[in-house]
Amino acid sequence: MLTSRERVTMAIEHREPDVVPIDFGGMDCSGGIHGLAYEKLVKYFGLREEIRIYDPIQMLAAPSEFFLKKFGVDVVSVLRSTPPTGLTEQDKRFKDYYLLESKLKIPEEIDITRGDNGSEYMRAWFSRDASKRGTIVAKRNPSACYFDHLPVYIPFKDVDKVSDLKELPPHHWIPEHSDAGLKTLRKNAKWLCENTDHAIFGMSGAGIFEMTIYLLGFEKFFRSLKANKEVVERVVNLLVEHNKIELKKYLDAVGDYLQIVGIGGEDLGSQVGPIINPKDWRELFKPAIKELVDMIKSRTKCYVMVHSCGSIKPFVSDFIEMGIDIWNPVQISAKNMDPHELKKEFGEDITFWGGGSDTQHVLPFASPEKVKDNVKELVEIFKPGGGFVFNQIHNVQPETPPQNIVAMFEAVNEVRRY
Amino acid sequence: MKADLNELEKTIIEGDVGKTVGLANELLEKGTEPRKIVDQLRHALDVVGKEYETGGFFLAELVLAGMAAKEVMNVLKPSLASTTEKRTLAKVVLCTVEGDIHDIGKAIVEMVFTGAGFDVVDLGVDVPAAKVVEAVKKENPDVVALSALLTSTMVNQEIVINELKKAGLRDNLIIIIGGAPVNEEFARKIGADAYAADPIEGVRKIELLL
């Protein structure tokens, strides 16, 4: 039997391993589970676990070893807590946080304050520049399950001139690595690599297209595309230059120990189609993203994954041309994303990491039997010839019943053998 | 005049927001009836909608056309107010439902609906059902349009419909829903009158139901 690392590697190389590899929480931005859904899952199995949130914006929790074994999971995130960086240290660095009626744990350094009417505001605790740590970067309304940045933090919303775009503002999705943080991460990565046989994923956080929109806001972005392209070009330039510096540090720290490095988010599509004309994307964004791909390829032996949500079929051949090995999350619930067509057209040239269960319509709402049917159908479509790592399409949402999560993994385990 | 109206339509389709305002003002100065300009806007949005549905246009073009049309409507509003014709096609109360603070989709709907000649009352985001009921009582709209982006909040679209029923207001309304996780099947299940995948489809469906 293959190790998890061998299995994932074979799949990415378009060779059929012994079984389809499974990811659950390894791709730590979109392949995981909301803390409230995880809490229900933990209770369902009668376990007593602290629900530790590693992503305070999306409120994601890392599945414990129990679930990795139970569900046959092959991939872990480089952020996963390990003995050296340690349970003891981690205990000290988490604090209580109440989300709706649930008690969770969040990293101690996360700066959340309560505002009017019970809303909460998150500040830029992550910024290397201490003077910017007071910036409000996200908000959670009292009844919401997440923090969100778009309604409250659009740093370049009012910019009209290129000369106003001098430097990037702090943003939780623009990486700012500290030496101490990278040292800890390296220790973590080394331990995972040498003491487990999991495939290890690391999200570099280097993203261009989606971040351009977050910084300008949709309205300014679209207006600028039409009438003031230099503004878009300048933001792209700021992002690529910053990301090259941060990515180099990240790869130098952990590149030897990871098998997969993620870039993005590069969400290019909405539910129904591309956000912008692919022709414009190729002119303004593709070259910058290619620089990041080339850097990963030249500095490491890692496979490159791009995270891009939505109806994005017109871009997949570009991903392949750029040397990207893996595409996540493969949102087959969006328009024009038929899994048969995707596999037929692109299956030999790019690995599908995702697409395994419809997290918008089926996983949260259907019966466990229907969840199983959905998963089995999708696995049978994507698995031939390798080039497939099973993951549900995006993070398991808070309202998803634990029975459905169990059904999903039962189904994939029933049909994963080659 | 026809050439000028065609030129206006072209700039809406091209999403040239700056140029449309100038053209609209010129048309009014030349004595063009505001209603004719609104009809041209509607035609432009129909063209954009069809291109969007068939993949010729993308979200960027849809939003820019909506912005341009809305700017023209802002120019026309004073002139429309002084006519004796029915000023708007319909009055719409619009919101993102409780628990959901996403407003991008709703903002695009607001632009396109306004550009299409609807009178839109935008209640904002994270709107409890009780506030929608209160707005319906106050504004007496023809349509209630509900947006939700999350699987965890789309259920609140059904709650709004149920609260409107309890208040005895449901039967006099067209209720239309939209947002990434919702679809026709969900709209039927919760008792909405329509679902729209994009705002221009929303305009068409509302007109069919009016």
Side-chain angles (χ1 to χ4, degrees):
Chain A
M1 194 156 120
L2 298 172
T3 66
S4 287
R5 203 168 296 163
E6 288 165 346
R7 183 175 297 135
V8 171
T9 302
M10 277 186 78
I12 297 170
E13 291 175 355
H14 297 274
R15 295 181 288 142
E16 290 184 353
D18 50 352
V19 295
V20 171
I22 293 177
D23 177 28
F24 183 47
M27 194 300 181
D28 47 45
C29 297
S30 69
I33 181 167
H34 190 282
L36 296 183
Y38 187 64
E39 186 190 37
K40 286 190 273 190
L41 187 66
V42 164
K43 280 189 182 139
Y44 180 77
F45 281 95
L47 303 171
R48 296 169 73 103
E49 284 183 21
E50 280 187 341
I51 312 299
R52 289 192 175 170
I53 302 299
Y54 64 85
D55 179 334
I57 296 287
Q58 300 185 94
M59 289 288 159
L60 302 178
S64 63
E65 281 302 315
F66 172 85
F67 291 107
L68 298 194
K69 287 196 172 74
K70 180 104 187 129
F71 296 152
V73 178
D74 294 294
V75 187
V76 294
S77 160
V78 71
L79 300 175
R80 189 170 189 80
S81 176
T82 63
T85 56
L87 275 179
T88 304
E89 281 181 38
Q90 297 279 25
D91 278 342
K92 288 181 191 161
R93 290 174 45 228
F94 276 77
K95 61 185 178 186
D96 291 348
Y97 175 73
Y98 289 87
L99 178 64
L100 304 181
E101 268 138 47
S102 291
K103 181 176 157 185
L104 310 176
K105 293 277 197 185
I106 61 171
E108 208 166 68
E109 65 265 24
I110 309 297
D111 183 353
I112 295 172
T113 49
R114 194 157 271 244
D116 299 334
N117 304 319
S119 295
E120 291 176 344
Y121 295 89
M122 191 180 294
R123 294 175 192 276
W125 49 270
F126 46 81
S127 180
R128 273 198 300 252
D129 183 344
S131 69
K132 293 182 179 161
R133 287 185 196 143
T135 310
I136 288 175
V137 297
K139 181 186 178 189
R140 189 180 74 79
N141 277 21
S143 54
C145 300
Y146 313 89
F147 278 83
D148 210 325
H149 51 100
L150 272 174
V152 293
Y153 186 53
I154 305 176
F156 292 159
K157 189 165 66 130
D158 298 319
V159 157
D160 282 313
K161 294 184 305 212
V162 170
S163 55
D164 292 335
L165 293 163
K166 293 186 174 51
E167 60 175 13
L168 290 176
H171 196 287
H172 49 276
W173 282 333
I174 297 177
E176 288 187 58
H177 297 298
S178 67
D179 290 341
L182 285 175
K183 199 170 159 190
T184 302
L185 199 63
R186 181 176 176 83
K187 209 158 81 167
N188 221 53
K190 186 172 188 291
W191 192 93
L192 284 167
C193 191
E194 292 171 357
N195 293 280
T196 79
D197 72 0
H198 292 305
I200 307 166
F201 170 85
M203 189 44 167
S204 72
I208 307 289
F209 177 78
E210 196 177 321
M211 189 49 62
T212 301
I213 299 180
Y214 289 156
L215 293 174
L216 289 168
F218 274 92
E219 197 172 316
K220 174 71 68 177
F221 173 67
F222 290 142
R223 281 185 191 255
S224 301
L225 268 187
K226 179 77 189 167
N228 200 358
K229 225 183 247 191
E230 300 78 28
V231 162
V232 175
E233 286 167 344
R234 173 64 178 151
V235 175
V236 170
N237 183 257
L238 283 171
L239 283 166
V240 75
E241 293 309 314
H242 174 89
N243 276 318
K244 274 166 28 182
I245 295 168
E246 297 297 320
L247 182 59
K248 180 177 176 300
K249 287 185 213 169
Y250 184 84
L251 295 175
D252 288 349
V254 296
D256 292 337
Y257 303 114
L258 304 184
Q259 282 71 59
I260 308 111
V261 173
I263 57 169
E266 291 292 344
D267 291 354
L268 295 171
S270 70
Q271 190 71 21
V272 298
I275 291 173
I276 67 171
N277 192 321
K279 179 174 69 61
D280 292 333
W281 176 81
R282 285 172 194 129
E283 179 199 332
L284 291 167
F285 298 95
K286 184 176 172 180
I289 299 166
K290 176 93 168 61
E291 286 194 62
L292 304 176
V293 175
D294 288 347
M295 182 180 266
I296 299 168
K297 292 278 185 187
S298 63
R299 298 189 82 88
T300 74
K301 295 191 173 96
C302 297
Y303 299 104
V304 178
M305 174 198 283
V306 68
H307 171 87
S308 188
C309 285
S311 169
I312 64 152
K313 197 169 157 206
F315 299 97
V316 180
S317 49
D318 291 276
F319 295 161
I320 294 165
E321 188 202 301
M322 290 156 78
I324 290 168
D325 302 290
I326 304 160
W327 166 32
N328 163 270
V330 196
Q331 191 179 335
I332 50 96
S333 50
K335 196 176 171 187
N336 294 331
M337 293 275 284
D338 178 79
H340 294 96
E341 285 176 18
L342 292 175
K343 182 71 179 181
K344 189 173 167 199
E345 257 183 83
F346 306 115
E348 288 180 8
D349 299 311
I350 199 162
T351 291
F352 302 107
W353 190 300
S357 174
D358 180 351
T359 40
Q360 282 185 301
H361 308 111
V362 177
L363 189 64
F365 302 124
S367 66
E369 292 70 33
K370 285 211 159 83
V371 168
K372 279 190 152 188
D373 289 342
N374 178 239
V375 167
K376 285 181 181 178
E377 185 189 354
L378 290 166
V379 171
E380 294 298 349
I381 292 168
F382 281 121
K383 102 183 207 203
F388 176 51
V389 174
F390 177 87
N391 187 221
Q392 75 278 355
I393 291 175
H394 211 286
N395 296 311
V396 176
Q397 294 300 291
E399 65 282 347
T400 307
Q403 297 88 332
N404 285 16
I405 302 170
V406 172
M408 174 173 76
F409 285 109
E410 279 176 356
V412 62
N413 275 289
E414 283 168 27
V415 295
R416 68 191 292 205
R417 187 152 294 283
Y418 277 99
Chain B
M1 180 172 67
K2 188 62 190 158
D4 291 337
L5 282 168
N6 286 341
E7 180 66 19
L8 179 70
E9 177 170 319
K10 187 164 168 284
T11 57
I12 301 277
I13 292 168
E14 289 171 357
D16 196 334
V17 182
K19 210 169 159 188
T20 48
V21 172
L23 278 174
N25 277 316
E26 271 178 41
L27 280 163
L28 283 178
E29 279 159 21
K30 286 177 183 174
T32 314
E33 287 171 45
R35 183 49 58 195
K36 282 197 159 57
I37 302 175
V38 174
D39 288 344
Q40 206 75 28
L41 284 190
R42 292 295 319 281
H43 192 258
L45 289 174
D46 273 343
V47 169
V48 171
K50 286 190 176 86
E51 287 287 347
Y52 183 69
E53 274 164 31
T54 54
F57 278 2
F58 306 91
L59 186 63
E61 284 80 10
L62 183 76
V63 172
L64 285 167
M67 283 183 203
K70 185 180 171 185
E71 297 277 344
V72 172
M73 283 306 295
N74 287 341
V75 167
L76 295 181
K77 261 190 189 137
S79 309
L80 286 168
S82 65
T83 70
T84 54
E85 291 179 57
K86 187 177 168 196
R87 295 206 301 274
T88 60
L89 294 168
K91 190 173 196 181
V92 181
V93 161
L94 168 69
C95 72
T96 302
V97 294
E98 186 169 16
D100 199 326
I101 58 173
H102 295 97
D103 71 346
I104 295 152
K106 181 185 66 62
I108 300 170
V109 168
E110 194 266 336
M111 281 176 216
V112 170
F113 277 21
T114 303
F118 292 169
D119 180 9
V120 179
V121 176
D122 185 354
L123 302 181
V125 299
D126 190 19
V127 179
K131 199 165 166 202
V132 179
V133 171
E134 189 187 307
V136 168
K137 285 179 182 167
K138 181 182 171 208
E139 302 288 343
N140 195 25
D142 305 286
V143 180
V144 168
L146 306 170
S147 174
L149 187 71
L150 305 172
T151 51
S152 38
T153 58
M154 61 199 264
V155 294
N156 291 327
Q157 291 173 327
E158 184 173 16
I159 291 175
V160 169
I161 293 173
N162 290 340
E163 290 301 308
L164 287 167
K165 277 183 191 161
K166 277 190 213 160
L169 300 166
R170 165 62 185 111
D171 291 342
N172 294 327
L173 292 167
I174 295 165
I175 299 183
I176 185 165
I177 65 169
V182 309
N183 51 25
E184 291 280 3
E185 188 189 332
F186 182 71
R188 271 197 300 275
K189 177 172 169 269
I190 67 170
D193 296 300
Y195 154 77
D198 66 73
I200 296 177
E201 187 186 26
V203 169
R204 285 195 209 119
K205 287 200 173 174
I206 290 170
E207 285 185 322
L208 283 172
L209 290 166
L210 278 170

